[in-house]
Amino acid sequence: MLIESNALNNVFHLDHIQSSPTLCHSLPNKVSIYDCAYDEDMLKIPADINYQIGKYLQSYKYFYKYEQDIKRMFRFRQSLKDSANQFLAEVTRNYTAKSTTTNTTITFIGVHVRRGDLLDDHYKKYGYVLPSPDYVHKAMDFMRRKFQQTVFILASNDMPWAQSNFHGNDTFYSSNTDPKLDLVLLASCNHSITTVGTYGWWSAFLAGGTTIYYKYPAREGSPLRKQFSSDYSDFFYPGWIGMD
């Protein structure tokens, strides 16, 4: 398999992948009719023809049978893992120092709050719906009831907004300005809360565990809504828990 650049290799130990932007751009395109739903025609590719595959392919159904292979391939580079582990160790020290319990086993919940670019009029008109703080609070309360010693690791591209809406002794904020560091940090948690967008989707997938997602990420009748299946079932991973 060829990819356009080495950007992914800066984050993951990917096997059997080479970079060749010139060759990639010279190949005929095979594009899905949906961005966020499964198109079975994408798997009908003649073995004797090379294609540039695109564009979004945002459905777990394309790789559901190969989940373990995907997770084995997308292994974070050690330096990034070390950075995430160092941050979580510091959070553990700070949390246990203030806690009255003798139980030092912490359940880390990664919370990704996507805002930033999605506040632009272009994305609003296209149909993106940003969840309210109530959704995140509801998801956090669910995790507190389900697990013991929960600690929330919050990452966002609008951290001032996130800090003003979510706070407490069990909530800690990422200080990273590098998106790949936040991705590793969120994926290093035990469970996940996502809002909208595929950045949070992939961090939750790589983390495993229990994942809570926002049920209605697209406005009904919008161009974005037409990119999903009728009940969003092609997009959200089986077993994940939807809330609104």
Side-chain angles (χ1 to χ4, degrees):
M1 183 170 69
L2 300 178
I3 55 178
E4 290 182 293
S5 75
N6 283 316
L8 286 175
N9 286 311
N10 294 330
V11 183
F12 303 102
H13 288 285
L14 296 178
D15 301 326
H16 311 301
I17 289 181
Q18 300 178 30
S19 172
S20 179
T22 304
L23 181 56
C24 286
H25 292 161
S26 69
L27 298 174
N29 287 306
K30 187 169 180 62
V31 180
S32 170
I33 59 175
Y34 305 109
D35 289 349
C36 308
Y38 180 65
D39 178 4
E40 65 179 12
D41 188 59
M42 292 300 294
L43 299 186
K44 299 174 182 177
I45 300 176
D48 59 343
I49 301 177
N50 293 319
Y51 283 101
Q52 183 178 186
I53 301 299
K55 289 187 177 178
Y56 293 95
L57 303 178
Q58 294 176 12
S59 172
Y60 72 89
K61 291 184 177 180
Y62 290 116
F63 60 87
Y64 185 57
K65 297 178 182 178
Y66 315 103
E67 175 182 350
Q68 295 309 314
D69 293 326
I70 294 292
K71 289 187 174 181
R72 184 168 59 251
M73 287 184 65
F74 283 80
R75 305 184 313 275
F76 290 112
R77 293 199 170 275
Q78 190 60 48
S79 60
L80 300 176
K81 291 171 61 177
D82 291 343
S83 176
N85 290 335
Q86 182 178 353
F87 181 89
L88 294 177
E90 182 63 25
V91 167
T92 299
R93 286 191 290 270
N94 290 338
Y95 178 77
T96 54
K98 299 175 183 178
S99 177
T100 57
T101 181
T102 57
N103 182 5
T104 58
T105 301
I106 288 176
T107 302
F108 288 108
I109 314 293
V111 184
H112 183 250
V113 177
R114 174 80 176 270
R115 286 174 57 82
D117 54 333
L118 297 187
L119 294 172
D120 294 345
D121 287 341
H122 165 73
Y123 290 106
K124 289 181 179 178
K125 291 177 181 177
Y126 189 58
Y128 280 95
V129 177
L130 299 183
S132 69
D134 288 343
Y135 156 74
V136 179
H137 284 300
K138 186 190 301 184
M140 293 172 74
D141 286 341
F142 176 93
M143 292 294 197
R144 290 185 181 107
R145 292 191 300 270
K146 186 174 178 63
F147 302 106
Q148 294 183 339
Q149 292 280 96
T150 52
V151 168
F152 298 93
I153 306 299
L154 199 148
S156 176
N157 61 347
D158 188 352
M159 191 58 80
W161 184 90
Q163 288 177 320
S164 68
N165 284 282
F166 315 113
H167 36 74
N169 292 335
D170 62 352
T171 303
F172 294 81
Y173 312 102
S174 167
S175 57
N176 294 322
T177 56
D178 187 337
K180 64 176 177 286
L181 292 175
D182 269 349
L183 182 68
V184 181
L185 180 59
L186 291 168
S188 298
C189 292
N190 304 109
H191 310 285
S192 307
I193 297 171
T194 69
T195 50
V196 293
T198 50
Y199 185 96
W201 193 107
W202 278 101
S203 67
F205 171 79
L206 293 172
T210 297
T211 294
I212 297 176
Y213 66 88
Y214 183 56
K215 269 187 177 181
Y216 307 113
R219 188 178 69 254
E220 289 299 322
S222 68
L224 177 62
R225 182 66 183 90
K226 296 176 183 177
Q227 298 298 325
F228 292 88
S229 56
S230 59
D231 57 358
Y232 293 102
S233 61
D234 284 11
F235 183 78
F236 293 112
Y237 212 68
W240 287 8
I241 301 168
M243 291 186 179
D244 56 15

